[in-house]
Amino acid sequence: MPRAFFSFSSAKPPAAYAFLVGFFLSFSATATNPRSPQFLPSSSMPFPKMNSPAESPKSYSKVVSLAPVVTETLFSLGLAKNIVGVTRFCDRPSQAKHKEKIGGYVDVSLEKVLSLRPDLVIAMPSLGQRALLEQIAGQGIDVYVVFGDTLVEVKDLIAGIGAVMNKEKEASFLLAELEKGLKEAKATNAITKKSVLLLVAAAPLVAAGPTTFANDALRVLGLSNAAQKGPQWPVLSLESLAALSPDLIVVVSGPNDGKNVREKVTAAGLKVRILVPSKPILMRPGPSLHLDVQVLGKLLSSQPKIAQ
Amino acid sequence: MMTSTTPLTEKKRRKWLVIGFCALTTSFAFSAFISPDGWSSPASFSDVLFQLRLRRVGMGVLAGMGLAGSGVVLQALLRNPLADPFIIGVSGGAALGGTFVLVLFSGAPLLFLVAGAGTGALITTLMLATFLVRSRRGGDPALLAGVVLNAFAASLITLAKTLLPATKAQALLFWLVGRIGYPSTTNLLITAGLILTPLLISVSRAGRLELMAFGDDEAYRLGIDVRRERLFFFFAASLMVGVLIPQCGLIGFVGLVLPHALRRLVDADHRLLLPLSALFGGAVVVLFDAASRGLFFILQTELPVGALTALIGAPLFGWSLVVEMRGNDLKDAAKN
């Protein structure tokens, strides 16, 4: 499983410009799938090494999580005791709130992370974390990066963390539960072939676009995403929302945003049904994603006039 | 530009430079013991965390010295009290270069970000230098060109922020707002060379800067090659800004407020003002950075030092202006 995260491409482009393109692409692309879970190799940067328990420990005892989905997965795998640090956004399960905080997504404190003396840091790399992860790896601490944009990536994430933490059985169980839950959600959903727009924010209006786990949730339920093209999380005006002509809008970010969207859409004279779950759903990926999909399925099925 | 009303004596210069040096070393020593958990004394000086922090504090010193030093140079050079390292366009060019790298090569190493921002700074510096050389009306055209370049860069950065996904836009914003990281020793040494060399040369030529502050004609009559000196000081200031922004983002207000405050409180003579601003600039940035780090255990985040400097610097500057205005009113009343 360990593979170079920042490796050069093995391709041999003929021309200089092709080399340059390949050079830049190689920073984010590996030979097979660049977005599967993988270890970040130790940097050769001239940083002093931490006194880590072992050079390459086979079992990690002190883990810092740099993303809520990672924290939730670690807890679900029964690794609560091994977690020594989490982000301030890690609130699921509730025990995560009592763990030591290391910062947020882009404002992680390197000193705080290192002071916890972890032997493994698990991250979902973003722009702001790039330098941080290089520096952590430079200290001789193993850095494992995972991705969670789509349903497939969430499954890889669970399996990857399970493998790294020697919890393959528990990971298989979580994955089976996820699959089972998604099948149940599909079975309970009475509406199919409808175009649905999922809104994750009201001011501005932000929709769930393609290559998102929310998009996959709609696919699982047999529905199509009204925002099928464009960026992952497109920002919409009322006009562009109308142009997508969805059959339904679901404000997944919850009642407050739901009220806001209703007011905006009504004031603009748009005639489209707006559904709002009683609490936020599909706002973040994780091992309990199927529960959110089930809530969405039930919400849609509870609309008698739309059900076919 | 304000100039001193009483001549600067060597005794006064020495006294204030010693005070500035003491302020810098005290701030450095104090800040080295501020960790994200508050006050912390390391088990030994070879402690890894302590060494990391020392490098961060070192970078803070360089950032403060470079920003305040370039602020003084630019205010004198452009004869405009509003000039600061972030108004001359170099900052906009660097920010745009860095943004370009962040957007297009999001997986690229940190070195690419620094290289991109440095290239942006260099291009804008060369553009502005041509304005400065060809200008027959002092630094005004260069200043205006800088403002326009900054506005242009800002619009492109806003465009990038709008088009980027939320997490990337957040990271971009975080970089732009200014923070001091943990440089490697090599990086720190290179930065020190690139900041201290132009700064020290500028300090050694501060007398010429003082003469140039009287006006081009005056300086020319006194034997100064105005065009050459203008270009030297402009490149020196741009180098300092261009080296710092890629690594620390936009740490505002230090280059504007501190020189003004010292000009009012101590002396306006550039032979003292320039080195003193650099020394106090280093001390102030290091202290603000320590505050941002030390507040972690309350806020669970490290506030970007750029936000803190503006947050505290703006009201302080406003207060100093009000005090000065009241003082002037009282003097006028006494005269009448």
Side-chain angles (χ1 to χ4, degrees):
Chain A
M1 173 134 358
R3 196 168 61 242
F5 184 54
F6 305 126
S7 69
F8 286 95
S9 167
S10 57
K12 293 176 182 171
Y17 77 90
F19 168 75
L20 280 174
V21 172
F23 180 74
F24 287 121
L25 287 178
S26 64
F27 287 110
S28 57
T30 49
T32 52
N33 181 5
R35 290 177 65 85
S36 45
Q38 55 201 276
F39 276 104
L40 190 73
S42 268
S43 164
S44 57
M45 286 163 69
F47 278 89
K49 297 279 182 194
M50 292 284 288
N51 298 320
S52 50
E55 196 59 31
S56 299
K58 284 178 183 173
S59 60
Y60 298 102
S61 57
K62 293 167 89 178
V63 184
V64 165
S65 159
L66 298 186
V69 56
V70 173
T71 304
E72 197 181 343
T73 306
L74 287 168
F75 270 100
S76 303
L77 291 170
L79 293 163
K81 282 183 183 173
N82 299 68
I83 305 170
V84 292
V86 298
T87 74
R88 65 174 181 279
F89 301 117
C90 295
D91 55 357
R92 282 200 318 223
S94 55
Q95 298 100 290
K97 291 179 193 169
H98 306 298
K99 291 284 181 186
E100 197 78 25
K101 303 290 184 291
I102 48 80
Y105 292 122
V106 293
D107 53 338
V108 176
S109 166
L110 174 68
E111 271 194 57
K112 187 70 198 178
V113 172
L114 297 181
S115 71
L116 297 171
R117 308 260 161 183
D119 45 25
L120 178 68
V121 171
I122 308 181
M124 292 183 83
S126 66
L127 274 176
Q129 285 188 354
R130 176 61 196 239
L132 176 93
L133 296 183
E134 279 179 359
Q135 289 181 331
I136 293 172
Q139 297 290 338
I141 298 168
D142 283 352
V143 176
Y144 191 62
V145 289
V146 292
F147 302 87
D149 283 358
T150 64
L151 184 56
V152 172
E153 286 177 0
V154 171
K155 288 176 185 173
D156 285 350
L157 177 153
I158 296 168
I161 294 177
V164 167
M165 298 300 296
N166 292 326
K167 290 278 182 183
E168 284 97 339
K169 258 187 197 175
E170 288 82 351
S172 302
F173 177 75
L174 279 184
L175 287 170
E177 283 290 300
L178 181 63
E179 285 292 348
K180 192 178 146 199
L182 291 175
K183 275 182 188 166
E184 282 174 11
K186 189 177 183 182
T188 53
N189 182 35
I191 307 169
T192 53
K193 295 177 184 172
K194 289 283 180 189
S195 163
V196 179
L197 185 69
L198 298 178
L199 290 179
V200 297
L205 295 166
V206 181
T211 61
T212 59
F213 55 88
N215 178 71
D216 291 335
L218 288 175
R219 194 174 39 78
V220 164
L221 293 171
L223 298 157
S224 67
N225 188 355
Q228 268 180 343
K229 291 176 185 170
Q232 272 189 315
W233 306 98
V235 178
L236 304 173
S237 66
L238 279 168
E239 264 190 86
S240 49
L241 184 148
L244 293 172
S245 56
D247 297 319
L248 272 169
I249 292 175
V250 182
V251 187
V252 292
S253 47
N256 285 343
D257 277 356
K259 191 182 165 193
N260 197 336
V261 170
R262 274 206 177 98
E263 282 171 3
K264 278 186 183 177
V265 170
T266 310
L270 299 176
K271 288 182 180 174
V272 57
R273 179 164 296 197
I274 298 167
L275 305 180
V276 184
S278 58
K279 59 175 187 176
I281 56 168
L282 295 173
M283 294 300 286
R284 76 166 73 144
S288 56
L289 187 63
H290 58 287
L291 299 177
D292 284 357
V293 182
Q294 285 174 353
V295 172
L296 179 64
K298 281 178 190 166
L299 182 72
L300 293 167
S301 304
S302 66
Q303 303 297 311
K305 287 179 185 173
I306 298 172
Q308 296 165 343
Chain B
M1 290 302 300
M2 284 181 64
T3 51
S4 54
T5 48
T6 52
L8 173 70
T9 60
E10 188 56 28
K11 190 182 170 190
K12 184 182 181 184
R13 186 169 180 265
R14 273 191 200 158
K15 184 185 91 177
W16 274 102
L17 288 182
V18 169
I19 292 173
F21 188 74
C22 290
L24 182 63
T25 46
T26 313
S27 310
F28 188 98
F30 173 77
S31 305
F33 292 98
I34 302 291
S35 79
D37 293 316
W39 180 264
S40 81
S41 44
S44 70
F45 285 100
S46 60
D47 183 274
V48 169
L49 284 178
F50 188 65
Q51 285 186 11
L52 269 177
R53 198 178 308 133
L54 282 182
R55 289 207 290 268
R56 173 166 167 171
V57 177
M59 183 56 105
V61 168
L62 292 175
M65 291 183 95
L67 291 173
S70 57
V72 172
V73 168
L74 290 167
Q75 282 162 20
L77 188 66
L78 302 171
R79 287 198 291 280
N80 191 316
L82 283 177
D84 85 338
F86 300 110
I87 212 165
I88 54 165
V90 178
S91 59
L96 187 60
T99 304
F100 183 74
V101 172
L102 277 175
V103 172
L104 292 184
F105 314 115
S106 60
L110 189 65
L111 184 66
F112 274 57
L113 179 68
V114 175
T119 309
L122 182 67
I123 292 170
T124 41
T125 300
L126 292 174
M127 283 168 72
L128 292 169
T130 52
F131 273 95
L132 210 58
V133 168
R134 293 184 179 185
S135 164
R136 290 182 182 178
R137 290 189 295 124
D140 285 355
L143 189 66
L144 284 171
V147 171
V148 170
L149 267 172
N150 264 350
F152 180 70
S155 65
L156 283 177
I157 292 168
T158 306
L159 188 71
K161 275 192 245 172
T162 313
L163 295 174
L164 282 173
T167 49
K168 284 189 178 185
Q170 193 189 6
L172 181 60
L173 182 70
F174 210 75
W175 176 68
L176 287 172
V177 86
R179 70 171 358 203
I180 294 163
Y182 299 88
S184 64
T185 311
T186 318
N187 190 356
L188 189 66
L189 290 175
I190 292 171
T191 309
L194 292 172
I195 297 292
L196 295 180
T197 308
L199 183 64
L200 289 175
I201 298 176
S202 298
V203 168
S204 71
R205 296 162 85 105
R208 301 175 190 210
L209 202 63
E210 178 68 13
L211 293 177
M212 284 166 71
F214 286 104
D216 286 358
D217 293 340
E218 285 286 329
Y220 188 76
R221 270 187 228 121
L222 290 166
I224 305 282
D225 184 343
V226 175
R227 194 168 287 193
R228 200 185 69 183
E229 292 300 324
R230 207 194 276 164
L231 211 56
F232 163 76
F233 282 114
F234 183 72
F235 272 111
S238 298
L239 179 61
M240 290 189 264
V241 180
V243 168
L244 286 173
I245 290 175
Q247 303 187 74
C248 306
L250 308 178
I251 302 172
F253 254 78
V254 180
L256 178 66
V257 172
L258 201 76
H260 275 300
L262 292 174
R263 194 176 281 126
R264 285 162 203 278
L265 292 172
V266 184
D267 204 297
D269 192 312
H270 290 87
R271 287 167 294 177
L272 173 59
L273 185 63
L274 179 55
L276 194 64
S277 295
L279 290 170
F280 272 103
V284 165
V285 168
V286 157
L287 285 178
F288 275 122
D289 186 47
S292 102
R293 189 166 60 246
L295 285 172
F296 180 89
F297 76 100
I298 299 171
L299 303 171
Q300 292 179 1
T301 182
E302 281 190 23
L303 288 177
V305 68
L308 267 185
T309 52
L311 192 72
I312 299 170
L316 271 182
F317 190 57
W319 175 74
S320 77
L321 283 178
V322 170
V323 168
E324 191 190 340
M325 280 165 63
R326 278 188 186 167
N328 288 341
D329 288 348
L330 285 174
K331 279 180 194 168
D332 291 346
K335 279 180 190 171
N336 295 331

